[in-house]
Amino acid sequence: MPSSRTPGPKQQHGSGGELHQKSGKSGENLTTNQGIEISDNQNSLKSGTRGPTLLEDFLLREKITHFDHERIPERIVHARGSGAHGYFELNKSLRHLTKATFLQDTRKRTEVFVRFSTVAGGAGSVDLPRDVRGFAVKFYTDQGNFDLVGNNIPVFFIQDAVKFPDLVHSVKMEPDRGFPQNASAHDTFWDFVSLMPESMHMLMWVMSDRAIPRSLRMIEGFGVNTFRFVNAEGESNFVKFHWRPVLGAASVLWDEAVKINGADQDFHRRDLWKAIDSGNFPEFEFGVQVLDDRAAAELEFDILDATKLIPEEMVPVQIVGKMVLDRNPDNFFAETEQVAFHPANLVPGIEFSDDPLLQGRLFSYLDTQLSRLGGANFHEIPVNRPRCPMRNFQRDGMRRMDVPKGRVAYEPNSLAPDGPRETPSGFVTHPQGDFGSEKVRERSATFKDHYSQARMFFNSMSEPEQRHIVSAFAFELGKVETPAIRKRMLGHLAIIDKTLCGGVSKALGTNEIDPITPALEPRDLAPSPALSLIKKAPATLRGRTIGVLLSNGVDGGFLKRLKKAIEAEGAEMAVVCRKIGGVTLSDKIKLPADHALSAAPSVIFDAVAILTSDEGANELAEEAAAIDWVRDAFGHLKVIGLNGPSVALLNKAGLSGMFDEGVITIEDAAGIEAYIRMAKHQRIWDREPKVRSPG
Ligand code: HDE
């Protein structure tokens, strides 16, 4: 437009627009990276107002050059993550088991940084694919950094690290077509795993509700690999690490996951951020399963095999501490993106086992970080820096930040008598067991049983969880285009459990199975009820959100009472109205909405309530989004509270005659109480067979 080309008096100097604020509250002046104060950050230097831009404009060049290099390679796996700062507190000393001081002294608080992640998708992918979640914790202990780089599933797909690139290539987008992003439901993944019987146990977990968590605050965490504790006497025990969410572990339904990904692709990241921001700090109990060499030798499987778990009914999980996440990152890139975890970051008193998966990991993490973080000095990035002193004779390299002094960069030396020296209390690797003297590329015979624990997992689930596993297999295999792969997978399922295989075949509408002969016939192991999320779900609303669909003309006093009752349970109430401007209550008071209906489908809530006036119910009944809201809440087995006029809306949604114990009239205090009591159970599982069958 000609007018913008002809500068008026305001645009003559420094300003590109009238809304531009000339000086910040701090009074600090904007500078370049060289500290030169900038007088005009709105206009590049040009030859005349309409002429070409000049190469000498170092302000422009510096700004754009920096911008051009603002991205680093994303992680090859676990690219999408959300981080938080916090602390760890020990409540039971493990001095008798380990030299690690942060596990000895119950008065000590250890700073931590946590990064939760999905595995397969890229950094910008959605939060709720069916996937494993990474659960990586960096403990900044006073003996150095200890990284517990775990997952939310206690076992893994493969037994030997040499298969990891194959596994990851199979699940990532197919290399010719570049899709699917972020999904295991495609041929290459199922082709690979159906040829790898050792993946069967993990597949059961990934097809279970664990792979679609409700919140990152509601997942369990596991170290997966077996580690060793070593005490001051040099005695060693095997240890498996566990995290337990204080809010209870919970998942969404698959249909919800699909819809949440559309409604809010940052659902988990937002939820974590908001919880911490509002002071509802996520907490996780820290537990250990410890067993000595003799107990390990008596297990029915090999403790070095990462496709197996130790049922906690067999070796109890001792809860010894708690982690609290109480601070959001100040900067996503500087902290969550640049944090570098490594299973080899150990402190004295914690050592590796010979688990061949773990052994391969010990190489991989540092190696990948050298290219991801651009050289050997990323330990100097604030989020990676140990909080205890760090002194050695390593020098130089790309992006060195520290400025070491003196002429001595070697050891032993006599020219730097005050320089750092070895210490007997430092990290010592204790001798552990016998090693075979032959060099072999062979899998131990003790790693051969691929089906028993897969069967145990299925048999440990509640009925709804079994149904979901059947549905998940049916969905994923239904996406497979090559029939031979589907048949081969059904062959494996037939070995794991006949009803599982029957259910999946029925849901797929096929009888074609490729029979498989297992290397070792599976055994029937005792079920482990602790593996079921539903069986151990606490009755609670803590940390949950209840969505209230509200129309004009509702009694404001009643709404306040409902809110109070919800908040008394540690939950949050969110008001959803047709318009973000909100509604006018019966006492003529205007109440703004927390969400507009179009932006807040009921999938993002844990339970719902619908409060309308007669007129309001009629208005909502003409709104497809409101009908979907109600129908989805019912279909997703949520507890629904409603007042009289709202029944019309449920009827319009086709739910008349289907009301069950989870549809509760809330018009008085007793109604609110009954509603809260029921909502604590989170879902009406008995409703499920009436609204959905596997497939
Ligand atoms: Fe990882 N894994 N992994 N992994 N892993 C990475 O390291 C690897 C495995 C896990 O939030 C990478 O810095 C190999 C098991 C988490 O930054 C890489 C093998 C478990 C994270 C790597 C495994 C994990 C990673 C990619 C098979 C559960 C994210 C970027 C031997 C105990 C950490 C990076 C974060 C990240 C290698 C298997 C957990 C490539 C070779 C088993 C939580 O180095």
Side-chain angles (χ1 to χ4, degrees):
M1 271 173 12
S3 62
S4 69
R5 288 177 181 165
T6 326
K10 278 193 186 124
Q11 288 170 307
Q12 286 269 313
H13 180 76
S15 164
E18 278 80 68
L19 293 177
H20 176 57
Q21 220 187 359
K22 227 11 208 165
S23 82
K25 278 201 185 119
S26 67
E28 283 177 8
N29 293 336
L30 193 68
T31 77
T32 67
N33 288 336
Q34 306 304 321
I36 293 147
E37 290 183 351
I38 297 173
S39 65
D40 183 345
N41 193 33
Q42 318 305 320
N43 301 291
S44 51
L45 189 67
K46 295 186 286 292
S47 168
T49 53
R50 300 181 58 223
T53 302
L54 299 178
L55 191 58
E56 74 168 64
D57 187 353
F58 62 88
L59 300 175
L60 170 74
R61 278 190 289 114
E62 182 198 80
K63 192 170 171 187
I64 290 197
T65 306
H66 191 276
F67 169 77
D68 290 344
H69 298 270
E70 279 173 8
R71 286 293 170 277
I72 57 175
E74 65 176 35
R75 292 163 173 84
I76 170 69
V77 279
H78 297 267
R80 179 168 179 83
S82 303
H85 294 272
Y87 60 87
F88 171 76
E89 271 173 350
L90 188 73
N91 45 45
K92 192 173 162 232
S93 173
L94 295 178
R95 188 181 297 272
H96 57 296
L97 291 170
T98 174
K99 286 187 287 184
T101 52
F102 83 104
L103 295 178
Q104 289 189 340
D105 187 349
T106 52
R107 287 159 310 174
K108 201 169 271 179
R109 228 186 210 209
T110 303
E111 190 186 334
V112 298
F113 186 82
V114 177
R115 185 172 179 274
F116 301 108
S117 48
T118 55
V119 179
S125 55
V126 295
D127 272 348
L128 256 169
R130 176 172 294 285
D131 200 356
V132 183
R133 297 300 182 287
F135 192 131
V137 183
K138 190 179 281 295
F139 295 80
Y140 303 93
T141 88
D142 53 12
Q143 293 173 299
N145 289 351
F146 167 56
D147 292 355
L148 183 50
V149 198
N151 281 342
N152 75 328
I153 289 179
V155 290
F156 202 62
F157 292 99
I158 48 171
Q159 296 173 320
D160 188 315
V162 74
K163 298 310 300 168
F164 192 64
D166 299 303
L167 167 72
V168 174
H169 289 170
S170 81
V171 72
K172 283 260 183 189
M173 64 187 187
E174 299 189 14
D176 54 351
R177 57 209 70 189
F179 59 80
Q181 288 284 336
N182 209 15
S184 53
H186 58 120
D187 285 42
T188 57
F189 175 72
W190 288 98
D191 184 29
F192 176 74
V193 291
S194 65
L195 294 168
M196 296 285 293
E198 70 202 57
S199 63
M200 291 306 140
H201 185 197
M202 178 71 168
L203 285 175
M204 299 300 294
W205 285 80
V206 178
M207 293 303 114
S208 81
D209 296 344
R210 301 259 179 173
I212 41 172
R214 156 67 180 86
S215 158
L216 298 171
R217 301 174 289 138
M218 299 174 199
I219 56 175
E220 294 186 341
F222 305 89
V224 180
N225 298 117
T226 303
F227 286 81
R228 282 197 178 255
F229 270 156
V230 180
N231 66 14
E233 285 70 48
E235 291 159 355
S236 140
N237 283 280
F238 288 113
V239 57
K240 291 265 190 194
F241 294 111
H242 294 251
W243 293 108
R244 294 270 166 83
V246 169
L247 294 177
S251 292
V252 298
L253 299 175
W254 175 243
D255 189 58
E256 282 178 307
V258 170
K259 291 173 176 164
I260 290 171
N261 282 334
D264 182 4
Q265 75 154 3
D266 304 304
F267 186 63
H268 282 162
R269 185 178 286 177
R270 190 188 309 280
D271 168 274
L272 181 68
W273 177 277
K274 262 184 67 186
I276 296 175
D277 205 41
S278 60
N280 294 317
F281 302 140
E283 295 180 350
F284 296 86
E285 289 175 335
F286 180 66
V288 289
Q289 277 179 303
V290 180
L291 62 175
D292 61 21
D293 289 24
R294 187 177 327 157
E298 281 168 11
L299 292 173
E300 283 155 309
F301 47 85
D302 199 319
I303 191 146
L304 304 182
D305 174 358
T307 66
K308 306 295 187 300
L309 57 85
I310 308 177
E312 55 187 274
E313 290 80 4
M314 202 181 275
V315 179
V317 177
Q318 307 171 45
I319 300 298
V320 297
K322 189 156 88 175
M323 172 169 77
V324 179
L325 302 180
D326 65 349
R327 186 159 67 84
N328 278 315
D330 287 320
N331 184 273
F332 181 86
F333 181 85
E335 301 178 280
T336 311
E337 193 61 11
Q338 292 200 111
V339 66
F341 296 95
H342 186 7
N345 290 347
L346 294 184
V347 290
I350 305 177
E351 298 191 20
F352 314 120
S353 72
D354 296 331
D355 170 347
L357 195 71
L358 176 59
Q359 293 285 321
R361 295 179 74 201
L362 302 183
F363 164 72
S364 176
Y365 290 67
L366 175 56
D367 181 50
T368 197
Q369 285 149 10
L370 287 174
S371 67
R372 189 166 71 79
L373 297 167
N377 287 317
F378 60 84
H379 58 280
E380 294 185 356
I381 297 172
V383 72
N384 295 322
R385 254 191 125 84
R387 303 305 187 241
C388 62
M390 165 173 71
R391 324 175 194 92
N392 57 43
F393 295 100
Q394 293 169 26
R395 293 288 183 271
D396 310 344
M398 302 253 251
R399 300 179 185 88
R400 186 74 182 182
M401 301 292 156
D402 284 349
V403 184
K405 294 194 176 140
R407 64 200 287 206
V408 173
Y410 55 88
E411 196 276 337
N413 62 62
S414 64
L415 295 180
D418 296 334
R421 295 287 185 264
E422 297 161 344
T423 160
S425 63
F427 193 91
V428 184
T429 299
H430 291 80
Q432 293 165 7
D434 298 327
F435 300 95
S437 51
E438 292 166 49
K439 292 182 184 168
V440 289
R441 269 189 200 279
E442 230 175 73
R443 203 69 64 91
S444 164
T446 51
F447 280 42
K448 255 198 184 139
D449 179 354
H450 302 318
Y451 298 95
S452 300
Q453 283 208 345
R455 181 183 290 174
M456 174 186 81
F457 181 79
F458 190 68
N459 289 335
S460 305
M461 295 294 106
S462 63
E463 244 178 74
E465 288 168 304
Q466 289 192 337
R467 282 198 296 268
H468 300 165
I469 293 173
V470 170
S471 297
F473 272 111
F475 174 83
E476 299 260 324
L477 296 177
K479 287 265 195 179
V480 167
E481 293 162 2
T482 312
I485 297 174
R486 219 178 288 142
K487 286 191 229 166
R488 201 187 303 142
M489 253 330 286
L490 287 171
H492 290 293
L493 299 187
I495 302 172
I496 295 170
D497 187 274
K498 291 274 180 278
T499 49
L500 167 65
C501 181
V504 178
S505 305
K506 189 167 162 219
L508 287 169
T510 175
N511 287 324
E512 291 183 56
I513 296 181
D514 206 353
I516 301 234
T517 313
L520 202 66
E521 277 299 329
R523 284 161 300 158
D524 284 322
L525 305 173
S528 166
L531 300 182
S532 159
L533 292 185
I534 292 182
K535 286 183 195 166
K536 63 180 180 190
T540 182
L541 277 177
R542 189 157 289 282
R544 273 69 173 179
T545 307
I546 295 187
V548 180
L549 183 58
L550 202 63
S551 79
N552 286 322
V554 169
D555 175 4
F558 183 72
L559 190 68
K560 262 195 199 141
R561 285 199 291 283
L562 178 63
K563 184 172 160 71
K564 204 169 152 206
I566 290 170
E567 289 177 351
E569 297 295 329
E572 191 191 324
M573 184 177 100
V575 171
V576 181
C577 304
R578 282 179 67 202
K579 299 178 184 171
I580 192 66
V583 291
T584 307
L585 300 170
S586 59
D587 49 12
K588 304 287 175 241
I589 290 179
K590 186 103 180 137
L591 180 79
D594 295 308
H595 303 278
L597 178 59
S598 57
S602 61
V603 289
I604 66 173
F605 304 115
D606 297 279
V608 300
I610 305 154
L611 298 179
T612 56
S613 58
D614 287 327
E615 198 187 329
N618 289 337
E619 270 173 27
L620 283 170
E622 282 165 17
E623 198 71 67
I627 304 292
D628 287 347
W629 207 88
V630 172
R631 192 182 285 151
D632 264 356
F634 190 83
H636 296 145
L637 321 180
K638 284 174 182 152
V639 175
I640 302 176
L642 76 174
N643 64 356
S646 305
V647 173
L649 187 58
L650 269 74
N651 289 343
K652 183 81 188 291
L655 301 176
S656 64
M658 294 184 76
F659 290 14
D660 56 22
E661 54 168 1
V663 180
I664 295 168
T665 306
I666 44 168
E667 291 188 320
D668 53 19
I672 292 180
E673 202 193 312
Y675 171 68
I676 297 278
R677 204 178 321 119
M678 193 54 87
K680 281 180 171 182
H681 295 290
Q682 292 160 33
R683 299 208 195 254
I684 306 298
W685 292 115
D686 289 346
R687 191 189 294 162
E688 194 168 38
K690 293 176 205 140
V691 295
R692 191 176 300 111
S693 58

